[in-house]
């Protein structure tokens, strides 16, 4: 079953702008991950944030986690046309490591 | 980095036939692999967890007799869609965890297999 729900479902911005995507989930988690998928392709891991962390950075990516609200956000700063893709959050609820994905946000960055 | 391949990348088959999809970890040994399916413009749905040398663990609502999973070696898991029907048409994606990096919880995804059942 799907754990996460992304918001918005689609986001369209200009190059140079920041893109913010939100994710909500339903149960307690071990960690939350963000993945990127280019059209019709496999997924690429972007960043992982553990349940005891509140914020994490990786290059132009910033992820926050609020376990009290069961929500996370992904911020991509200074977006580029090459960032155009679908972005999914996925939760891990146990050490077995199974991923449960949200519906995703389709990001389009116009040059 | 860890690379996972899938074969074939796309397949068209007739209704009633069976199709086998392979998932290989190319530069690491994966004791655990996962199979997902994805419908157009939708999310990935976890179908099953494939464990080397033992039976797969299926998610609720996934028919184990319909989707046969075999993880016979540390680098290969196969998904066989038996007696395929048009509603089985989907994008099937596998992933693997590197046992040397289990603590990271990161999964490495294959490029996916597009199955079309006519």
């Amino acid at each position: 079953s799907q754990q996460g729900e992304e918001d918005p479902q689609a986001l369209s911005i200009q190059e140079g702008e920041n893109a913010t995507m939100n994710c909500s989930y339903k149960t307690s988690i071990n960690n939350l991950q963000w993945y990127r998928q280019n059209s019709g392709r496999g997924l690429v891991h972007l960043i992982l944030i553990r349940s005891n962390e509140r914020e994490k950075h990786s290059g132009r990516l910033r992820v926050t986690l609020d376990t009290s609200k069961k929500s996370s956000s992904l911020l991509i700063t200074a977006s580029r046309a090459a960032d155009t893709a679908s972005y999914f959050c996925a939760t891990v609820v146990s050490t077995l490591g199974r991923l449960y994905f949200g519906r995703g946000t389709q990001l389009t960055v116009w040059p | 980095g860890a690379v996972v391949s899938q074969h074939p990348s796309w397949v068209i088959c007739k209704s009633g036939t069976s199709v086998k999809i392979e998932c290989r970890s190319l530069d690491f040994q994966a004791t655990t692999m996962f199979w997902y399916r994805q419908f157009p413009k939708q999310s990935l749905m976890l179908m099953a967890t494939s464990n080397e040398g033992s039976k797969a663990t299926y998610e609720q609502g996934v028919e184990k007799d319909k989707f046969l999973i075999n993880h016979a070696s540390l680098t290969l898991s196969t998904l066989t869609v038996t007696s395929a029907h048009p509603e089985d048409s989907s994008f099937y994606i596998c992933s693997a965890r590197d046992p040397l990096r289990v603590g990271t919880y990161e999964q490495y995804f294959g490029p996916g297999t597009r199955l079309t059942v006519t």
Side-chain angles (χ1 to χ4, degrees), chain A residues 1-2 30-31 33 35 37 40-45 48 50 88 92 94-104, chain B residues 32 34 36 38 41-46 49 57 59 91 93 97 102-112 114:
Chain A
S1 61
Q2 292 179 353
N30 179 293
N31 64 79
Q33 303 178 32
Y35 285 82
Q37 182 182 35
R41 306 292 294 276
L43 276 72
V44 175
H45 179 264
L48 177 152
R50 298 183 186 275
F88 295 92
V92 174
S94 75
T95 56
L96 293 174
R98 296 188 181 104
L99 286 173
Y100 295 99
F101 284 85
R103 296 186 188 279
Chain B
T32 303
F34 302 90
Y36 301 83
Q38 184 180 32
K41 298 188 186 301
Q42 293 192 29
S43 186
L44 281 77
M45 183 190 79
L46 177 64
T49 303
T57 303
E59 294 296 302
F91 193 53
I93 307 176
R97 293 182 71 187
V102 165
T104 68
Y105 290 95
E106 183 176 345
Q107 291 187 20
Y108 303 96
F109 283 81
R114 172 87 47 204

Side-chain angles (χ1 to χ4, degrees), chain A residues 56-68:
Chain A
K56 205 162 182 181
H57 297 256
S58 177
R60 293 185 296 115
L61 305 179
R62 173 177 168 254
V63 170
T64 63
L65 178 65
D66 186 334
T67 53
S68 66

